[in-house]
Coordinates of all heavy atoms in Angstrom, one line a residue:
A35 N 119.4 91.3 98.6 CA 120.1 90.9 97.3 C 119.1 90.4 96.3 O 119.2 90.7 95.1 CB 121.2 89.9 97.6
W36 N 118.2 89.5 96.8 CA 117.2 89.0 95.9 C 116.3 90.1 95.3 O 115.9 90.0 94.1 CB 116.4 87.9 96.6 CG 115.4 87.2 95.7 CD1 114.0 87.2 95.8 CD2 115.7 86.5 94.5 NE1 113.5 86.5 94.7 CE2 114.5 86.1 93.9 CE3 116.9 86.1 93.9 CZ2 114.4 85.3 92.8 CZ3 116.8 85.4 92.7 CH2 115.6 85.0 92.2
T37 N 115.9 91.0 96.1 CA 115.1 92.1 95.7 C 115.8 92.9 94.6 O 115.2 93.3 93.6 CB 114.7 93.1 96.9 OG1 114.0 92.3 97.8 CG2 113.9 94.2 96.4
A38 N 117.1 93.1 94.8 CA 117.9 93.8 93.8 C 118.0 93.0 92.5 O 117.9 93.6 91.4 CB 119.3 94.0 94.3
V39 N 118.1 91.7 92.6 CA 118.1 90.9 91.4 C 116.8 91.0 90.6 O 116.8 91.2 89.4 CB 118.3 89.4 91.7 CG1 118.0 88.4 90.6 CG2 119.8 89.2 92.2
L40 N 115.7 91.0 91.3 CA 114.4 91.1 90.7 C 114.2 92.5 90.0 O 113.7 92.6 88.9 CB 113.2 90.8 91.7 CG 113.2 89.4 92.3 CD1 112.1 89.3 93.3 CD2 113.0 88.4 91.2
E41 N 114.7 93.5 90.7 CA 114.6 94.8 90.2 C 115.5 95.0 88.9 O 115.1 95.6 87.9 CB 115.0 95.9 91.2 CG 114.9 97.3 90.8 CD 113.5 97.7 90.5 OE1 112.5 97.1 90.9 OE2 113.3 98.7 89.7
D42 N 116.7 94.4 88.9 CA 117.5 94.4 87.7 C 116.8 93.7 86.6 O 116.9 94.1 85.4 CB 118.9 93.7 88.0 CG 119.8 94.5 88.9 OD1 119.5 95.7 89.0 OD2 120.8 94.0 89.4
R43 N 116.2 92.6 86.8 CA 115.5 91.8 85.8 C 114.3 92.7 85.2 O 114.1 92.7 84.0 CB 114.9 90.5 86.3 CG 116.0 89.5 86.6 CD 115.3 88.2 87.2 NE 116.4 87.2 87.5 CZ 116.1 86.1 88.0 NH1 114.9 85.7 88.3 NH2 117.1 85.2 88.3
R44 N 113.6 93.4 86.1 CA 112.5 94.3 85.6 C 113.1 95.4 84.7 O 112.5 95.7 83.7 CB 111.8 94.8 86.8 CG 110.5 95.6 86.4 CD 110.0 96.5 87.5 NE 110.9 97.5 88.0 CZ 111.1 98.6 87.4 NH1 110.6 98.9 86.2 NH2 112.0 99.5 87.9
R45 N 114.2 96.0 85.2 CA 114.8 97.1 84.4 C 115.3 96.5 83.0 O 115.1 97.2 82.0 CB 115.9 97.7 85.1 CG 115.4 98.7 86.2 CD 116.5 99.6 86.7 NE 117.6 98.9 87.3 CZ 117.8 98.6 88.6 NH1 116.9 99.1 89.4 NH2 118.8 98.0 89.0
A46 N 115.8 95.4 83.0 CA 116.3 94.8 81.7 C 115.1 94.5 80.8 O 115.2 94.8 79.6 CB 117.1 93.5 82.0
K47 N 114.0 94.0 81.3 CA 112.8 93.8 80.5 C 112.3 95.1 80.0 O 111.9 95.2 78.8 CB 111.8 93.1 81.4 CG 110.5 92.8 80.7 CD 109.5 92.2 81.6 CE 108.1 92.1 80.9 NZ 107.0 91.9 81.9
D48 N 112.3 96.2 80.8 CA 111.8 97.5 80.4 C 112.8 98.0 79.3 O 112.3 98.6 78.3 CB 111.8 98.5 81.5 CG 110.7 98.2 82.5 OD1 109.8 97.4 82.2 OD2 110.7 98.8 83.6
R49 N 114.1 97.8 79.4 CA 115.0 98.3 78.4 C 114.8 97.6 77.0 O 114.8 98.2 76.0 CB 116.5 98.0 78.8 CG 117.1 99.1 79.7 CD 118.6 98.9 79.8 NE 119.0 97.6 80.2 CZ 119.1 97.3 81.5 NH1 118.8 98.1 82.5 NH2 119.5 96.0 81.8
I50 N 114.5 96.3 77.1 CA 114.3 95.5 75.9 C 113.0 96.0 75.2 O 112.9 96.2 74.0 CB 114.2 94.0 76.2 CG1 115.6 93.5 76.6 CG2 113.7 93.2 75.0 CD1 115.6 92.1 77.1
E51 N 111.9 96.2 76.0 CA 110.7 96.7 75.4 C 110.8 98.1 74.8 O 110.3 98.3 73.7 CB 109.6 96.7 76.5 CG 109.1 95.3 77.0 CD 108.2 95.4 78.1 OE1 107.9 96.5 78.7 OE2 107.7 94.3 78.5
T52 N 111.6 98.9 75.5 CA 111.8 100.3 75.0 C 112.6 100.2 73.7 O 112.3 100.9 72.7 CB 112.6 101.1 76.0 OG1 111.8 101.2 77.2 CG2 112.9 102.5 75.5

Side-chain angles (χ1 to χ4, degrees):
W36 183 243
T37 299
V39 166
L40 295 177
E41 184 62 21
D42 287 345
R43 289 179 181 177
R44 187 193 61 77
R45 281 194 301 266
K47 181 182 170 195
D48 289 348
R49 275 194 305 274
I50 291 169
E51 289 175 358
T52 301

